[in-house]
Amino acid sequence: MKSVTEISGVPKEDLSSIPASAHPTAEGPAEVAANIKYHAQYTPHFSPLKFEPEQAFYATADSVRDSLIQRWNETYLHFHRENPKQTYYLSMEYLQGRALTNAIGNLGITDAYAAALNKLGHDLENIVEQEPDAALGNGGLGRLASCFLDSMATLNLPAWGYGLRYRYGLFKQSITEKGQQESAENWLEKFSPWEIVRHDVVYPVRFYGKVEVCASGVHKWVDGEQLQALAYDVPIPGYGTNNTISLRLWEAKAPAEDFNLNEFNDGQYENAAHLHSKAQQICAVLYPGDAKEEGKLLRLKQQFFLCSASLQDIIARFKERRVENEPIAWNEFPSKVAVQMNDTHPTLSIPELMRILMDDECLGWDEAWTVTTRTIAYTNHTVLPEALEKWSVALLTKLLPRHMEIIAEINKRFLEMIHSSHPDMENKFNNMCILDDSNPQKPVVRMANLCVVSSHTVNGVAMLHSNILKDELFRDYVSLWPEKFQNKTNGITPRRWLRFCNPELSAIITKWLKTDQWVTNLDLLRGLRQFSDNSELQSEWASAKMANKIRLAQYIFQVTGVKVNPNSLFDIQIKRIHEYKRQLLNILGAIYRYKRLKEMSAEERKKVVPRTIMIGGKAFATYTQAKRIVKLVNDVGAVVNNDPAIGDLLKVVFIPNYNVSVAEILIPGSELSQHISTAGMEASGTSNMKFALNGCLIIGTLDGANVEIREEIGKDNFFLFGAEAHDVPKLRKEREQGLFVPDPRFEEAKNFVKSRAFGDYDYTPLLDSLEGNSGYGRGDYFLVGYDFPSYMEAQSRVDNAYKDTKKWMKMSILSTAGSGKFSSDRTISEYAKAIWKIQECRVP
């Protein structure tokens, strides 16, 4: 029989000298290799005759987890002893990406692991590729939450994250001739080596039922359906510190006693496990379709499940850390606990905390309200009406009867306060009330209004966005509580988004700055400005960029079969597919570019800058227009990429199944990135920050964080186009009135699609949405037609700038040099000081 070492392809004598011995805190290559081998033999997940890349990954991850567990336990014990005020971040999404590279990078043991795996016959890069992305999020909201956790740990802040343990994520995207196809993203098909199930951390979560009023007047929520929330913890290590905090994920389960053995033995198998099936539904997928009432109920269940389990856990920790046998001083709760709601999804934290305090802990309304409003803060991430969340009163009453009572009482008391203290604002009731009964048949709860009324702080996520919140969306509340509203411009972790994903460029930055302290002090990147004209730096910079472009070209060929020219301009737009993000503007520009190339003479084509346009992102499964955009991109690519007359002058590639790991290849290889949303509609964006940090130039509108990025990197290093936010309402009105005259190039691009140049698919509904003067669609609500000529002129400026290599390299260097502000370390420091009021709690 062959030995493990022989089967793995490594000569037996090379491994026989490496002992299989446990070294939980190993830092040297020999000890690390021994620890990996120990886990391969004594923490086996596979048959003993294999040590191929997949088996090697799980053994490697287990060995890294050893180091994390020690730091993790020490951090928990230190927080317990010190009992600081702690922040709890509640989010429905965490887009973590792969954990292995990040963990060994933050622990400072990457080189040791690379050498150890080499001893064991494997390559670190290949082992990293075996790890599936954790399918716990979808877009910027979830990636921001993950960047924030990294910064919380790195800054040694007492903080945790709470989320749900989705088994299948949003979906795995594949592309066929029919367009986007969705399938389950089964990242837990085997298991995650990073999570630890906490069998001792289980809380009951109730749905449905009724409210009973006791003789004492206390309300009690009883009966209904009761499930259990079981905790799974994922370690989040800080960079260059012992602090390792937790992301606690909840899984829903039914108690064993709810399995009806008699029914099962009687052949009624589905009935026997009815509650178990309901429990599995809660954490099955992220954002289940909500076109039907069943889908709406499930989404609401998910949100409440997160809120209820997390608050019960937070309160249990508060009680655990108090002096033994002392009575609970609830007035001290806000001085020990800060809860941050990441958008409106965790809004039910408000009535749930009120319910626990009043019904379980017997506090009066006023005391419970004071505790709640001093504890909870709210981050708004959108001005889109459909994303602000409105829930049917009937649905809430059915699923959460006690919470609906509490929400109604909050609304009643709020309106009474306005009536008594601000009678001049009674004409604002309709906009400010939490319960909207303008349609008496279908009254709804406005979750954003509930958040604003009940939180001690409300913040936007970019200066422009925060001003829109104050001047428009929440204007009436600002007149009541001007001190409640703040701005916290988003940021990204420089560890994952430069240091680890772009080691070539990172090494150059460290060399020229003569320090690697920029990894935790991103403002130091300003020091690159003095070298931006230096030809030696520009040459090194260009070499690093080319290495990343070649790697990206190889990836594109691997996943799409399209060969792209690394010497072409790499132009990338990767984000959730949505009409306001205007991937449609991008592809119409590409269509016009292709049409012009077809019309050029061979001599004219010689002067053209070759360009590879890449678009990636998921369209929500029920968002028909977004899925049409995905199909159009692919149909255009199928024609353009196979046109021998065009060759390498233009390629259009759709990158399938966009996720964090894909972004870590795309962003370092990018040269131009499109952030082209309709002005005033993107709250912030964080991919724009990642691209700018990696020396990629941006073409974009004055929207979200683009405004601040342009200020920081310099106006000359940003390709600006389009209407500004304050002009958008007027332009939409003119569009509706038929006063808009479309640019001929815009009409040419649309007509080219209508000519069936890209296949026989009927794109009429998509193109009709751009016909603002014809009453179709929404009248080009996102102003694609209005901004098209300005967009095309900006693209011409891009082409001209790219022809001057020295100028382009200088602009690229200045982009990185101006990105210091956009570190999530800066953002989290601002949250900690101005909203959470928490201090560093460093593990010795």
Side-chain angles (χ1 to χ4, degrees), residues 490-550:
N490 283 342
I492 57 173
T493 167
R495 272 74 65 183
R496 184 180 287 272
W497 294 114
L498 181 55
R499 176 66 185 85
F500 303 149
C501 77
N502 200 342
E504 297 90 351
L505 197 64
S506 295
I508 293 168
I509 292 169
T510 296
K511 172 188 169 183
W512 284 83
L513 294 181
K514 294 182 169 57
T515 179
D516 64 357
Q517 295 301 306
W518 59 267
V519 179
T520 51
N521 182 3
L522 210 56
D523 287 335
L524 293 176
L525 293 180
R526 292 190 190 121
L528 292 171
R529 286 175 176 158
Q530 62 183 307
F531 306 117
S532 62
D533 281 313
N534 187 290
S535 58
E536 184 183 347
L537 173 58
Q538 288 188 1
S539 176
E540 293 177 9
W541 202 270
S543 295
K545 183 62 73 174
M546 180 53 70
N548 286 318
K549 289 178 71 178
I550 291 171

Side-chain angles (χ1 to χ4, degrees), residues 207-209 221 289-304 348 389-405 407 441-445 447:
F207 301 106
Y208 305 109
W221 182 23
D290 61 353
K292 297 180 178 178
E293 181 168 319
E294 291 85 351
K296 290 182 173 66
L297 269 170
L298 184 53
R299 279 210 194 190
L300 199 56
K301 274 188 171 185
Q302 286 184 330
Q303 293 184 5
F304 179 67
L348 290 167
E389 287 200 293
K390 296 178 181 178
W391 288 103
S392 153
V393 168
L395 199 69
L396 270 164
T397 302
K398 176 181 179 181
L399 188 69
L400 304 168
R402 178 62 177 133
H403 298 77
M404 191 59 243
E405 281 187 352
I407 291 168
Q441 278 72 46
K442 294 183 178 179
V444 296
V445 176
M447 303 305 263

Side-chain angles (χ1 to χ4, degrees), residues 303 307 339-351 369 372-373 376-381 387-389 407 410 432-434 445-459 474 477 481 484-485:
Q303 293 184 5
C307 296
V339 173
Q340 188 71 38
M341 300 186 298
N342 192 27
D343 217 7
T344 52
H345 306 128
T347 304
L348 290 167
S349 300
I350 295 160
W369 180 246
T372 299
T373 55
I376 292 179
Y378 162 53
T379 299
N380 173 277
H381 284 279
L388 287 171
E389 287 200 293
I407 291 168
I410 292 172
M432 299 176 74
C433 63
I434 296 165
V445 176
R446 296 162 164 164
M447 303 305 263
N449 289 21
L450 177 58
C451 288
V452 173
V453 169
S454 309
S455 300
H456 61 78
T457 305
V458 177
N459 73 279
F474 298 139
Y477 297 109
W481 305 300
K484 181 178 283 198
F485 294 85

Side-chain angles (χ1 to χ4, degrees), residues 135-370:
L136 299 171
N138 174 38
L141 183 84
R143 185 52 236 173
L144 179 77
S146 295
C147 283
F148 278 5
L149 291 183
D150 180 88
S151 287
M152 291 171 191
T154 298
L155 294 171
N156 302 302
L157 293 173
W160 273 20
Y162 282 107
L164 295 182
R165 185 177 180 263
Y166 304 107
R167 286 194 303 285
Y168 302 114
L170 186 72
F171 58 81
K172 182 178 181 180
Q173 180 194 54
S174 57
I175 303 298
T176 70
E177 289 183 358
K178 295 181 179 179
Q180 172 181 292
Q181 303 296 310
E182 304 91 20
S183 59
E185 194 169 6
N186 198 3
W187 69 289
L188 287 172
E189 181 179 9
K190 293 183 175 68
F191 64 98
S192 170
W194 305 108
E195 62 184 18
I196 294 179
V197 59
R198 306 294 190 186
H199 291 290
D200 57 329
V201 182
V202 182
Y203 297 102
V205 179
R206 187 185 303 276
F207 301 106
Y208 305 109
K210 61 185 179 182
V211 180
E212 292 182 347
V213 182
C214 306
S216 62
V218 173
H219 290 234
K220 289 290 181 183
W221 182 23
V222 298
D223 299 337
E225 176 182 289
Q226 186 166 292
L227 300 177
Q228 292 178 337
L230 173 64
Y232 284 75
D233 284 354
V234 178
I236 309 293
Y239 179 86
T241 175
N242 286 326
N243 282 52
T244 297
I245 62 173
S246 291
L247 169 58
R248 178 158 283 180
L249 303 172
W250 299 110
E251 179 168 271
K253 54 182 289 189
E257 56 268 24
D258 284 307
F259 180 82
N260 192 316
L261 191 59
N262 290 332
E263 285 187 340
F264 189 87
N265 288 333
D266 192 38
Q268 301 178 53
Y269 305 126
E270 291 183 5
N271 286 344
H274 179 64
L275 203 56
H276 291 262
S277 174
K278 285 195 168 187
Q280 288 184 344
Q281 292 169 13
I282 290 177
C283 294
V285 300
L286 170 66
Y287 303 144
D290 61 353
K292 297 180 178 178
E293 181 168 319
E294 291 85 351
K296 290 182 173 66
L297 269 170
L298 184 53
R299 279 210 194 190
L300 199 56
K301 274 188 171 185
Q302 286 184 330
Q303 293 184 5
F304 179 67
F305 192 80
L306 167 65
C307 296
S308 180
S310 302
L311 283 168
Q312 290 182 71
D313 195 46
I314 291 165
I315 289 171
R317 191 165 303 107
F318 170 70
K319 292 179 177 180
E320 178 186 58
R321 289 180 182 173
R322 79 188 195 282
V323 177
E324 194 173 356
N325 297 324
E326 276 198 4
I328 302 171
W330 286 107
N331 62 321
E332 294 179 5
F333 188 77
S335 65
K336 292 296 182 182
V337 172
V339 173
Q340 188 71 38
M341 300 186 298
N342 192 27
D343 217 7
T344 52
H345 306 128
T347 304
L348 290 167
S349 300
I350 295 160
E352 174 65 351
L353 183 53
M354 289 290 290
R355 183 197 69 79
I356 293 171
L357 293 174
M358 292 190 299
D359 299 2
D360 297 346
E361 303 296 338
C362 299
L363 272 64
W365 177 278
D366 291 340
E367 189 179 358
W369 180 246
T370 299

